[in-house]
Amino acid sequence: EAPAFYEHPLIGREAELARVLAAARPLFAGQFGGVVYITGEAGLGKSHLAYEVERTLRQRDAVTWFTAQIDQILRQAFNPFTYFLKRYYDQAPDASSEQNKQRFEARHRALLTALQARRATESNPHKAEILTIQIAELRRVQSVLGALVGLHWPGSLYESLEGELRYQNSLLAIKAFVLAETFLKPVVLLLEDLQWLDKASYDVLATLCRNVNDYPFLIVITSRYLDDGSPPVLPLPAGTPLLALDLKPLFPQELQQLTETILSGQSDESLLALLQERTQGNPFFAQQFLYYFRE
């Protein structure tokens, strides 16, 4: 896995970036920011926009950012949440089960310790009480979080549950984890490629948005359209703050700006006409043409 990298600045999405950053403002007042839903065809810059949001919000270490990548092939239950939990808990595919258990337990213990330190400094009795409840819940669901990354302990809570109870506790465990992290720093959860999301993860999404007004986190979702040309429907509880952005192709002046940025010089009308004809203003396709021309 390589970190995201973009060779040139975000072009033609300045208004959308400003709107997403505005949606994130409640986080810094200790409030739920809701859901930002970014849709568009492949290549229109959904991931680049999300990257710029992350880069901006993580300046001065202002937020914790979790990326939950949805897998097109491996559509197992809770797949995108397993993706980021494995990284959070430092799970290595080439390590033994015991080694991964040790890594998991050490990381979980560190989170609990940080929360306890946060509670010790909390001057608001109500918030201290909520934090005490959150710590207890995080301890209770430890084995459930472990099971989500493929770890099992004989006699644990997870092993004692079956069927619907196991499923519901998995939803609650993911929510408990996210809410616990918000006591340390505002959290942004990015769900990439909603069009491939499994049903269980849809249930997680709905669960995360219930009764969370006083928790500073934001959910950012990117999605392509479905085969019928419509975006996937979001099963959000009533009243969930929602910002929906539908990205469109670049305007001619934005295509010109992209051209002159990549080619480091003035553009020609015939070149811009060719790009518009061949790429229909799709920034990814235009970039590929321009990289080829530059080479």
Side-chain angles (χ1 to χ4, degrees):
E1 180 183 23
F5 172 76
Y6 293 91
E7 184 177 340
H8 59 83
L10 185 67
I11 292 173
R13 305 294 181 222
E14 293 81 4
E16 290 87 349
L17 177 60
R19 293 182 68 188
V20 178
L21 294 176
R25 284 181 195 145
L27 275 65
F28 304 105
Q31 299 295 310
F32 179 47
V35 174
V36 174
Y37 189 25
I38 305 169
T39 56
E41 298 287 356
L44 285 182
K46 301 180 294 296
S47 293
H48 196 168
L49 176 58
Y51 169 81
E52 288 298 330
V53 173
E54 177 183 3
R55 189 181 64 83
T56 303
L57 291 179
R58 291 186 76 165
Q59 288 176 352
R60 300 184 301 279
D61 203 26
V63 302
T64 296
W65 186 282
F66 294 125
T67 297
Q69 177 63 53
I70 300 163
D71 195 308
Q72 179 181 5
I73 305 301
L74 191 67
R75 301 195 193 183
Q76 295 178 343
F78 306 113
N79 179 260
F81 299 98
T82 295
Y83 176 94
F84 88 79
L85 285 171
K86 281 184 175 179
R87 283 147 186 79
Y88 181 89
Y89 285 109
D90 195 24
Q91 300 295 287
D94 56 346
S96 68
S97 176
E98 283 307 311
Q99 288 173 323
N100 277 331
K101 280 184 178 181
Q102 290 172 6
R103 294 181 180 199
F104 177 91
E105 290 166 349
R107 189 68 184 85
H108 199 77
R109 195 161 50 245
L111 174 57
L112 290 169
T113 300
L115 291 170
Q116 289 164 344
R118 175 70 183 83
R119 180 180 58 186
T121 61
E122 179 55 67
S123 57
N124 185 318
H126 177 64
K127 287 186 177 180
E129 182 182 357
I130 293 175
L131 189 47
T132 299
I133 294 170
Q134 203 65 52
I135 291 170
E137 177 66 1
L138 200 59
R139 284 199 176 104
R140 186 187 76 84
V141 298
Q142 177 171 339
S143 65
V144 183
L145 288 169
L148 286 167
V149 299
L151 302 176
H152 300 276
W153 292 265
S156 67
L157 170 67
Y158 182 82
E159 295 300 313
S160 70
L161 299 172
E162 294 181 0
E164 184 64 19
L165 279 176
R166 182 176 283 186
Y167 184 78
Q168 291 299 326
N169 273 271
S170 297
L171 301 178
L172 294 174
I174 295 169
K175 183 173 182 176
F177 170 83
V178 172
L179 296 188
E181 282 285 337
T182 66
F183 284 95
L184 305 176
K185 201 182 294 184
V187 169
V188 180
L189 173 64
L190 171 64
L191 274 171
E192 284 264 39
D193 294 317
L194 185 78
Q195 71 276 6
W196 297 319
L197 193 64
D198 62 273
K199 181 192 177 301
S201 295
Y202 267 115
D203 290 344
V204 174
L205 187 57
T207 302
L208 282 173
C209 294
R210 292 194 187 101
N211 305 316
V212 291
N213 288 342
D214 295 327
Y215 294 88
F217 76 99
L218 177 74
I219 300 171
V220 178
I221 299 171
T222 67
S223 180
R224 297 181 192 177
Y225 302 127
L226 300 175
D227 291 340
D228 63 1
S230 65
V233 176
L234 287 174
L236 302 177
T240 301
L242 175 65
L243 170 62
L245 299 174
D246 189 22
L247 300 189
K248 300 300 182 184
L250 296 178
F251 289 114
Q253 64 269 28
E254 295 165 345
L255 188 61
Q256 180 179 358
Q257 184 184 356
L258 178 65
T259 300
E260 295 180 351
T261 298
I262 292 178
L263 297 184
S264 302
Q266 291 187 341
S267 56
D268 179 85
E269 287 187 10
S270 60
L271 171 60
L272 295 176
L274 173 67
L275 281 174
Q276 181 63 46
E277 177 190 352
R278 296 293 181 90
T279 71
Q280 299 298 305
N282 183 299
F284 177 76
F285 297 156
Q287 289 163 31
Q288 300 312 304
F289 269 83
L290 290 166
Y291 292 151
Y292 174 72
F293 291 153
R294 185 177 68 184
E295 204 173 290

